Amino acid sequence: MNVVVVESPSKAKTINKYLGPNYKVLASFGHVRDLPAKDGSVRPDEDFEMSWEVDAASAKRMKDITDAVKASDGLILATDPDREGEAISWHVLDLLKKKKVLGDKPVKRVAFNAITKKAVLEAIAHPRDIDISLVDAYLARRALDYLVGFNLSPVLWRKLPGARSAGRVQSVTLRLVCDRESEIERFVSEEYWNISALLKTPRGDEFEARLVSADGKRLAPRAIGNGEEANRLKTLLEGATYVVDSIEAKPVKRNPSPPFTTSTLQQAASSKLGFSASRTMQVAQKLYEGVDIGGETVGLITYMRTDGVQMAPEAIDASRKAIASQFGDRYLPEKPRAYSTKAKNAQEAHEAIRPTDFNRTPDEVRRFLDGDMLRLYDLVWKRGIASQMASAEIERTTAEITADKGGQKAGLRATGSVIRFDGFIAAYTDAKEDGEQTDDGDEDGRLPEINARESLAKQKINASQHFTEPPPRYSEASLIKKMEELGIGRPSTYAATVTTLLDRDYITNDKRKLIPQAKGRLVTAFLESFFTRYVGYDFTASLEEKLDQVSAGEVNWKDVLRDFWKDFFAQIEETKELRVTNVLDALNEELAPLVFPKREDGGDPRTCQVCGTGKLSLKLGKYGAFVGCSNYPECNFTRQLSSESNGEEAAVSNEPQALGKDPHTGEDITLRSGRFGPYVQRGDGKEAKRSSLPKGWTPSTIDHEKAVALLSLPRDIGAHPESGKMISTGLGRYGPFVLHDGTYANLESIEDVFSIGLNRAVSVLADKQSKAGAGRGGAAAAALKELGNHPDGGAITVRDGRYGPYVNWGKVNATLPKGKDPQSVTVEEALVLIAERAAKGGTTKGKATKAKTTKAAAKSEDGAAKTTKAKAKAPAKSKTKTASKAKKG
C-alpha cells in the first residue's frame, strides 16, 4: 500500500476513486507548517535561517500521515503543480525525515495539471523528484514577505498611528489604486465638440457621417475645443452640398483570444458574471478538484493558477474534433492556433485554463453543477473552444464624403461593418470591460447602399458638447490586469492581494470600483516619501523576475535575500531618527487634495475657517489621522480625514453651532464636529444626548427639523398585533433598523426610520424571522447554506443572525467579514473563521479548534498565497494572542 498526500480533502476524495485499494490518499489541508508570527523566525544574521512551527491542526494531520507511512510501502507526494504545491510536499517530506519513519521506502513526487483519471494515472506512472529550485523560490518569497512585514509594519505603527501593516506586494498594489485616485483629483476637464451630419441617399436611406476634416486639415480627436468653432463648422455644413467621394468595402479578419489565464479568467468573470476575483477562484477550485458527474468524480477544468496561454497538443486535437462535430468544418481552421503570452515576467509553467474534456459541454453537465459553477464552466469551455476556431470575417465599409459651401469644404466619414462569417464568435464574444478590450469599429452596423459620386441630401446637422473625463477607477479585474502588465505578483496571489487590501479597509469596493480610503492613502504617501524604492513598480517587478530566476535554478535564493536585506535594513534604520513632524510635513504635501480640498469661496484651503488665523494640518492621534488647527488649544477645530471629504465639514467645529431648541425639553440643539465626524447634540454635560449624522447626511443639510428627528430616536411605532410589545425604529452600528422584542430587522434607508408605519414594520419583522429564526430566545436561525462537516464532527452552516450573516459549528458562531456574500463562503474559509472565533471566545473546543483548522483553507481561493503571506505582515496584538493560544493548544 502506498500513501498519497494531496492538499485538500475534496481532491483526496476524487483521486482515491481513481487509484483503488492499493493506495491511501490523505489531505494535508494546505501547508503543514509555517513561520511563527514573532520576531526571529527569519534570521538575516544567521544567513537567513528560518524557524518553522507546526500548529495543533497540522500536527494531527501529520500524525495521520506519519502513521499511514509507517505501515506503507512508499510515499507519493501529489500536491499542486506550482511553487506552493512543491513547498507543501517539501515540508511534509522534511517532517517525515525528522521523524525517521521513511527508512528506505521510495518517495515519489508526481504532478498533474488536471484531476482526471487519465492525468492522475499517467502522473503516477511518471514520478520525479522534488524540484528544489521551486522550493528555494518559495523560501525566498516567504522570507521576503516576512522580513518586510515584521520590519516595515512596526515603522508604520510608530510613525503613523492607525495604520495596520504593510506587505511587499500589497503596498505596491495599494499604490496603484492611490495613484489612480490622485490622477482623478488632478484631472482638469477640457471642452470638446463632436459634429455629425444625418444624410439621405437617393434611395431614401438615412445614415450618419462624422466630420473628420475642415479648412484643408485633418481634425484630430477632440480638436474642436469651443462652441464658437463648433458653430462656425456647423454653419458651414448647414449650407453645404454633399457628394460621395469614395466608397470602400474592405474585408477584415478578427482572430480569437487565447484560452484563459488566471488574470483573464478573473477579468472575464467580473465583466460577464459579476464575480469578484476571490469568488472566481473559489468556484474554479471546485471545478478543478472534481465534481460528481453521473457517479464519476472528475475535474472539469485544468489547474487554475497559471499565466500560460498554451494548451497541450492532445487538448488542441480534442478541441478541433469538438469544433468539427458541434459547429461544422467551416469553423475549423486549417491548422491549430498557437499563442504566446504578452504578460511581463510570465513563467508559462502550466497550460492555460481549459476544460479537461471538450466533449463535456456545458449543457451536458448542467444538472450536476450549481449556478455559479455552471456559469464559470460555461465561460471556460466557450473561451477554450473558441481559441481554436476559425477567424470571424467582417466586411468594413468606409464612405468618404465632401461637403461644399461656396468653395469652403469639409470632409465627413461614415463607417459600418457587417459580419459575413461569425467564426469563433459563434462560441464566445470577448469581454468589453474590466480589462479585456476588443477591436473598435465592429459595432457601427451596416451602412445602406451608397455609390461613389452620387449626391446626398442633408437632413440634420448635430453639434454636441462634451468634456474629457478623468481615468476610471480600477475594478478588481482591471487592477489585476494592471498588476500582470507591470509584473507585480503572480497568478496565485492576485485575488489574495486585493482581498487583503479590502480586509484592512485600505480600499473599498463601491459598485465594482476600488476607492482608496484615507488610511490607505496615508500609508501609500508615507511609503512613497520614506520607502520610495520599495513601492516602486519597476523594483517590485525586477524582484519578481529574480524570484522567477530562482525557480528556474538560475540564481541562488539567498543571494536574492542578501541583496534585498542590505539596503532595506539600512532604510529601516534611517527611519528611527525620523520625527513625526517630518512625517506630517511630507503627508501634508503629498496628500494636499485629500487633506485640504478646495473651498467654494476660493479661499486658502489650509486656513482654519473657525478662527481665521490658524493653519490646518494633519494630526496623528490614537485612532489615526485627522485634520486640526495650528492654534490649538485656543481653537479646537478638528475634522475627520475622509476619502469622500469635499470640504463641507470644514464649516463645523467643536464650537457649537446653534440649530434651535428642543420643542419638548427646551434644551439647546447644536451641530458639532468631533474626532469621528459631525454630530448633533441636545443639552450640555454628561447628560447631553448626541447622535452622529447618518451616512449620506452632510453638515450643510442639517437643520432644526432633522436634528430634532435624530435626537428623538429610538422612535416608537406601535404595539405588535400578536405580542402586544412595542415596535420601534432607530440607528445602529449596522444602519437603520426596526426592533421588536429583541429582534432587529434592517431598513433600506434612514428615511424609513422616520416614516415606516406599523403594517410595514410588522411585515419587515416577519420577513426577518422567516429567514433568521424567531430572534432572541427563539429557535436557531435557519441555515442559509450547508457547508459540510467539521473535521472534528458536526455540521458547518451559514446562517443569518441579528447582527448579520455568520458561520455556525456547534456552539461556535463566527461573524462573516464585512461585505462577504454568505452564499460564497467555502468550507475552508469557514474553518478559519471558526478557529479564530473559538480561540477568542473561550469555548471548550477553542484552543484546539484554532490550531486544528487554521491550515484548512490553505489551498482554497488562493489559500496557499494567504497562508504564506498572512503571518509575514506584523500582526496586531489580538492576532498575536490568538497565535499564542493556538500554539499552547
Side-chain angles (χ1 to χ4, degrees):
M1 185 267 295
N2 287 294
V3 171
V4 181
V5 177
V6 297
E7 297 94 337
S8 71
S10 55
K11 185 176 176 181
K13 182 180 178 182
T14 302
I15 293 174
N16 196 57
K17 292 182 179 180
Y18 298 155
L19 298 180
N22 292 328
Y23 296 86
K24 184 173 184 178
V25 186
L26 297 174
S28 70
F29 283 76
H31 280 276
V32 294
R33 64 183 182 184
D34 201 356
L35 297 173
K38 61 183 180 182
D39 287 330
S41 294
V42 178
R43 300 180 291 283
D45 293 341
E46 299 176 27
D47 200 21
F48 302 96
E49 282 298 308
M50 303 165 76
S51 298
W52 302 99
E53 178 181 77
V54 181
D55 65 19
S58 296
K60 184 179 184 303
R61 305 296 170 207
M62 279 306 304
K63 184 179 185 306
D64 293 341
I65 293 171
T66 300
D67 291 345
V69 169
K70 286 179 182 178
S72 73
D73 298 319
L75 172 66
I76 299 175
L77 300 166
T79 48
D80 283 344
D82 61 3
R83 182 181 61 250
E84 294 297 325
E86 209 72 21
I88 291 171
S89 288
W90 175 77
H91 278 302
V92 169
L93 181 59
D94 190 53
L95 286 170
L96 290 174
K97 286 180 178 178
K98 289 180 178 178
K99 292 178 183 292
K100 299 181 179 180
V101 297
L102 286 169
D104 58 356
K105 294 176 181 178
V107 177
K108 301 175 182 178
R109 169 75 171 114
V110 303
F112 33 83
N113 195 47
I115 302 180
T116 62
K117 188 172 184 178
K118 178 182 177 182
V120 171
L121 293 180
E122 186 171 334
I124 294 291
H126 298 88
R128 60 172 173 80
D129 295 328
I130 286 181
D131 188 330
I132 296 301
S133 294
L134 280 181
V135 175
D136 287 347
Y138 156 80
L139 293 172
R141 287 178 185 273
R142 191 67 191 88
L144 281 171
D145 291 337
Y146 174 93
L147 291 171
V148 171
F150 264 85
N151 288 278
L152 189 52
S153 295
V155 174
L156 278 179
W157 300 341
R158 291 192 299 268
K159 308 299 181 183
L160 203 64
R164 294 182 65 180
S165 58
R168 183 175 63 87
V169 177
Q170 290 93 333
S171 296
V172 184
T173 306
L174 176 61
R175 181 191 166 190
L176 277 171
V177 180
C178 293
D179 282 357
R180 176 57 56 87
E181 197 70 16
S182 295
E183 283 184 67
I184 294 171
E185 290 170 345
R186 292 192 303 266
F187 182 80
V188 178
S189 184
E190 296 180 356
E191 177 186 11
Y192 70 96
W193 291 72
N194 287 335
I195 300 177
S196 63
L198 183 65
L199 305 173
K200 182 187 288 187
T201 70
R203 289 157 295 282
D205 298 318
E206 293 183 346
F207 66 96
E208 189 170 44
R210 66 183 185 278
L211 182 67
V212 294
S213 65
D215 304 323
K217 297 179 181 179
R218 178 72 59 186
L219 294 175
R222 298 189 289 276
I224 306 171
N226 56 68
E228 182 179 346
E229 177 70 4
N231 285 330
R232 182 184 73 81
L233 293 172
K234 181 179 180 183
T235 301
L236 186 158
L237 296 181
E238 290 281 8
T241 58
Y242 294 83
V243 176
V244 180
D245 276 343
S246 64
I247 183 80
E248 180 184 21
K250 183 179 179 181
V252 177
K253 285 191 175 183
R254 184 175 162 199
N255 296 322
S257 298
F260 285 129
T261 61
T262 300
S263 66
T264 56
L265 177 63
Q266 290 168 349
Q267 292 160 33
S270 174
S271 62
K272 290 177 175 288
L273 309 180
F275 286 4
S276 66
S278 59
R279 181 62 183 150
T280 299
M281 297 308 288
Q282 290 165 0
V283 177
Q285 183 87 30
K286 294 178 182 177
L287 293 172
Y288 164 70
E289 290 190 338
V291 178
D292 191 332
I293 305 292
E296 178 188 5
T297 302
V298 62
L300 293 183
I301 65 172
T302 53
Y303 193 55
M304 66 287 165
R305 296 182 180 94
T306 176
D307 54 18
V309 291
Q310 307 84 10
M311 291 198 300
E314 59 271 21
I316 293 176
D317 291 342
S319 68
R320 288 174 62 82
K321 291 177 182 177
I323 291 167
S325 64
Q326 296 180 39
F327 295 90
D329 291 339
R330 176 75 174 84
Y331 290 83
L332 187 66
E334 290 184 8
K335 59 182 181 180
R337 295 185 180 276
Y339 296 96
S340 59
T341 186
K342 297 178 182 179
K344 187 175 182 179
N345 297 343
Q347 289 182 285
E348 300 188 89
H350 309 299
E351 277 192 82
I353 304 168
R354 62 166 176 84
T356 55
D357 185 350
F358 280 99
N359 290 320
R360 198 175 281 117
T361 65
D363 283 341
E364 289 181 359
V365 300
R366 182 180 302 275
R367 65 184 185 276
F368 304 112
L369 305 178
D370 65 30
D372 284 355
M373 292 173 71
L374 176 62
R375 293 166 72 197
L376 193 67
Y377 180 72
D378 181 71
L379 207 60
V380 172
W381 187 90
K382 287 179 176 177
R383 173 84 166 230
I385 203 161
S387 70
Q388 288 298 321
M389 291 175 69
S391 302
E393 297 175 7
I394 300 167
E395 184 179 84
R396 186 167 294 161
T397 304
T398 302
E400 300 288 351
I401 301 160
T402 296
D404 190 335
K405 181 186 177 183
Q408 282 186 291
K409 295 185 179 182
L412 296 93
R413 177 178 298 149
T415 58
S417 59
V418 60
I419 296 176
R420 294 300 184 188
F421 172 64
D422 55 2
F424 75 91
I425 296 175
Y428 182 84
T429 303
D430 287 336
K432 299 260 182 180
E433 59 182 26
D434 283 330
E436 291 189 293
Q437 297 296 328
T438 56
D439 295 337
D440 294 329
D442 292 349
E443 307 303 323
D444 293 327
R446 184 195 296 262
L447 287 176
E449 180 185 347
I450 304 173
N451 298 314
R453 310 313 309 162
E454 68 182 4
S455 297
L456 303 170
K458 180 205 71 179
Q459 300 297 102
K460 185 180 180 182
I461 304 300
N462 297 309
S464 55
Q465 183 186 34
H466 301 272
F467 293 90
T468 55
E469 295 184 354
R473 290 186 172 109
Y474 287 111
S475 65
E476 278 195 38
S478 61
L479 178 62
I480 288 170
K481 184 186 181 197
K482 188 66 176 179
M483 291 168 66
E484 185 178 48
E485 287 175 355
L486 294 174
I488 297 169
R490 284 296 175 263
S492 63
T493 65
Y494 293 142
T497 299
V498 177
T499 299
T500 298
L501 296 178
L502 289 166
D503 290 345
R504 288 179 182 159
D505 290 326
Y506 284 165
I507 62 175
T508 59
N509 193 334
D510 183 14
K511 298 178 182 177
R512 295 173 62 189
K513 297 301 177 185
L514 300 179
I515 304 173
Q517 295 303 283
K519 67 173 67 174
R521 298 193 69 178
L522 283 168
V523 167
T524 294
F526 176 82
L527 295 176
E528 283 194 271
S529 298
F530 302 104
F531 289 89
T532 308
R533 183 185 188 198
Y534 301 99
V535 288
Y537 303 136
D538 289 342
F539 174 79
T540 305
S542 66
L543 188 56
E544 292 286 354
E545 191 169 1
K546 289 180 182 177
L547 293 170
D548 290 342
Q549 290 174 337
V550 174
S551 298
E554 298 169 359
V555 175
N556 182 280
W557 69 283
K558 288 193 175 181
D559 286 343
V560 174
L561 292 180
R562 293 183 193 108
D563 290 343
F564 176 87
W565 179 249
K566 178 183 176 181
D567 294 333
F568 182 70
F569 180 72
Q571 193 78 40
I572 293 289
E573 289 296 297
E574 285 181 18
T575 62
K576 290 182 179 179
E577 304 301 320
L578 192 64
R579 299 173 63 88
V580 173
T581 53
N582 302 136
V583 174
L584 293 178
D585 288 343
L587 296 184
N588 281 331
E589 184 70 26
E590 188 75 24
L591 294 175
L594 172 69
V595 183
F596 313 113
K598 292 181 180 179
R599 288 168 48 174
E600 291 184 3
D601 61 7
D604 182 359
R606 291 201 62 174
T607 298
C608 178
Q609 288 177 267
V610 174
C611 69
T613 60
K615 286 292 184 181
L616 299 181
S617 173
L618 272 176
K619 307 288 183 183
L620 296 178
K622 180 180 179 182
Y623 300 104
F626 62 97
V627 179
C629 179
S630 61
N631 284 341
Y632 178 84
E634 287 76 15
C635 177
N636 61 355
F637 166 76
T638 59
R639 171 162 53 82
Q640 188 178 22
L641 184 64
S642 169
S643 297
E644 298 176 354
S645 172
N646 57 10
E648 289 185 88
E649 301 96 320
V652 186
S653 78
N654 282 346
E655 295 299 324
Q657 295 187 20
L659 296 175
K661 292 186 179 293
D662 188 283
H664 303 292
T665 68
E667 294 174 295
D668 289 329
I669 297 177
T670 54
L671 175 64
R672 303 169 182 245
S673 180
R675 184 69 51 82
F676 303 105
Y679 64 95
V680 290
Q681 177 173 314
R682 182 180 66 208
D684 288 302
K686 293 182 178 179
E687 302 303 319
K689 182 169 183 179
R690 301 174 179 85
S691 176
S692 296
L693 302 193
K695 186 177 182 180
W697 286 22
T698 58
S700 62
T701 65
I702 299 300
D703 55 19
H704 178 258
E705 182 181 357
K706 285 187 174 181
V708 170
L710 281 174
L711 292 167
S712 68
L713 296 177
R715 165 182 168 252
D716 289 341
I717 301 174
H720 195 286
E722 295 178 3
S723 69
K725 296 182 179 180
M726 183 58 67
I727 301 175
S728 62
T729 62
L731 278 173
R733 179 181 176 187
Y734 300 100
F737 64 82
V738 60
L739 169 66
H740 166 251
D741 193 22
T743 297
Y744 290 78
N746 293 333
L747 295 175
E748 292 182 2
S749 68
I750 177 60
E751 285 72 22
D752 286 342
V753 172
F754 306 112
S755 63
I756 190 171
L758 183 61
N759 290 339
R760 185 172 164 226
V762 171
S763 175
V764 170
L765 288 163
D767 289 343
K768 171 73 174 183
Q769 289 177 321
S770 66
K771 295 178 181 177
R776 195 189 310 173
L784 300 177
K785 184 179 181 182
E786 302 281 347
L787 295 178
N789 289 327
H790 193 281
D792 286 347
I796 303 175
T797 57
V798 181
R799 300 174 182 272
D800 190 17
R802 173 178 172 183
Y803 299 110
Y806 62 94
V807 173
N808 168 258
W809 171 58
K811 295 182 179 180
V812 181
N813 296 326
T815 303
L816 295 184
K818 182 174 66 176
K820 180 68 176 178
D821 178 9
Q823 295 298 330
S824 71
V825 179
T826 65
V827 67
E828 290 83 2
E829 290 175 317
L831 287 168
V832 173
L833 291 171
I834 289 168
E836 292 175 349
R837 178 62 189 138
K840 294 177 183 177
T843 64
T844 55
K845 299 178 181 180
K847 295 180 180 179
T849 302
K850 160 64 180 166
K852 189 173 291 183
T853 58
T854 299
K855 298 295 180 180
K859 294 306 288 182
S860 169
E861 176 26 39
D862 291 314
K866 288 181 179 177
T867 53
T868 55
K869 291 181 181 293
K871 294 180 182 176
K873 317 302 175 287
K877 276 189 177 180
S878 60
K879 292 187 177 179
T880 305
K881 290 179 180 177
T882 300
S884 175
K885 289 182 180 180
K887 185 175 180 181
K888 292 177 183 177

